[in-house]
Amino acid sequence: MLAAVDGSDAPIAGARMRSTVVRDGVVIDWLGAVRAVKKLRDALEASLGIRFDEAAVAVPPGIDKATIKIFTNVIEAAGLESAEVVDEPVAAATALGIATGAVIDIGHGTTGVSILRDGIVELSADEATGGQHMSLVVAGALGIDFETAEKYKRKKANADLVFGLIRPTIEKMATIAAGVLDGQPELSIHLVGGASSLPGTAEVFAEILGRPVTQAPDPLYPTPLGTAMRRTHE
């Protein structure tokens, strides 16, 4: 996903495409990632009638410098200067206007948690378990391949059955977050990421964490939007 904002941080354009170039927070298909970014950049440029020469990139929190370098190399190979690297939950917090609180970002391969106080990141952590793990569970339970399971999972008509199958996976994600948030009872908790879209996910997190959890209205979009916004703030 690519997002563009104007000088006032208002969204002006976005582009998205389904891709499997990243798994568990690691770029596994470098050339595929470059091609995807180029295609999305071209779509934005055609939509806006302007040319982009730099971009920020969001990464799972806690990954090593070598892995971060791969992400920035993708941006640069796509013809863009790497302007900033932002932890995914931090980017989401920026878009949601959260200065103090905890953001849980459920991505395709990982669950990331960031704790912020007065706009400063106090702690970020990330562990494998995300949307692709949900799809693997669905695929195994129904005896279908992974791609079919991905499509099956997204259909609203299948939501109740899918939720029953993947609830243990959601509970594992919530347990990851609980470990990071231990000893932080005063913080508000916000849930984002496309894999959190399934009805009932926020309720499972609230049950495991033992406190209220606020889910973003459109959980897929805060992270890319906030990635574009941060450089303007600085």
Side-chain angles (χ1 to χ4, degrees), residues 103-165:
V103 177
I104 304 170
D105 190 341
I106 306 178
H108 185 59
T110 61
T111 296
V113 184
S114 286
I115 295 173
L116 299 95
R117 295 186 190 277
D118 298 323
I120 304 298
V121 181
E122 188 174 88
L123 175 67
S124 281
D126 186 74
E127 286 192 35
T129 304
Q132 74 174 15
H133 301 85
M134 295 177 178
S135 298
L136 287 169
V137 170
V138 173
L142 301 182
I144 56 181
D145 61 57
F146 180 82
E147 289 301 321
T148 302
E150 281 273 295
K151 295 175 182 177
Y152 187 93
K153 181 182 71 176
R154 290 185 171 89
K155 291 183 179 179
K156 290 184 178 180
N158 303 329
D160 290 342
L161 175 59
V162 169
F163 182 76
L165 293 173

Side-chain angles (χ1 to χ4, degrees), residues 178-234:
V180 180
L181 296 172
D182 185 38
Q184 308 278 357
E186 79 285 2
L187 292 175
S188 60
I189 301 174
H190 305 266
L191 188 63
V192 301
S196 71
S197 301
L198 193 70
T201 300
E203 287 75 11
V204 173
F205 270 79
E207 180 182 327
I208 297 294
L209 295 172
R211 50 216 256 203
V213 174
T214 301
Q215 186 172 32
D218 296 297
L220 187 61
Y221 301 108
T223 298
L225 178 58
T227 305
M229 292 170 62
R230 277 185 56 80
R231 190 161 168 78
T232 302
H233 288 174
E234 293 179 358

Side-chain angles (χ1 to χ4, degrees), residues 33-146:
V34 173
R35 287 172 173 167
V37 173
K38 283 183 175 179
K39 184 173 182 178
L40 294 173
R41 179 207 61 200
D42 290 347
L44 285 188
E45 291 183 341
S47 173
L48 297 171
I50 61 175
R51 180 174 177 79
F52 292 102
D53 56 13
E54 65 176 16
V57 59
V59 301
I63 63 175
D64 58 70
K65 291 182 179 180
T67 305
I68 290 175
K69 183 61 177 173
I70 295 173
F71 278 84
T72 57
N73 284 346
V74 168
I75 297 296
E76 291 163 2
L80 296 162
E81 180 184 347
S82 178
E84 184 182 12
V85 177
V86 190
D87 281 356
E88 290 169 345
V90 176
T94 302
L96 297 173
I98 300 167
T100 298
V103 177
I104 304 170
D105 190 341
I106 306 178
H108 185 59
T110 61
T111 296
V113 184
S114 286
I115 295 173
L116 299 95
R117 295 186 190 277
D118 298 323
I120 304 298
V121 181
E122 188 174 88
L123 175 67
S124 281
D126 186 74
E127 286 192 35
T129 304
Q132 74 174 15
H133 301 85
M134 295 177 178
S135 298
L136 287 169
V137 170
V138 173
L142 301 182
I144 56 181
D145 61 57
F146 180 82

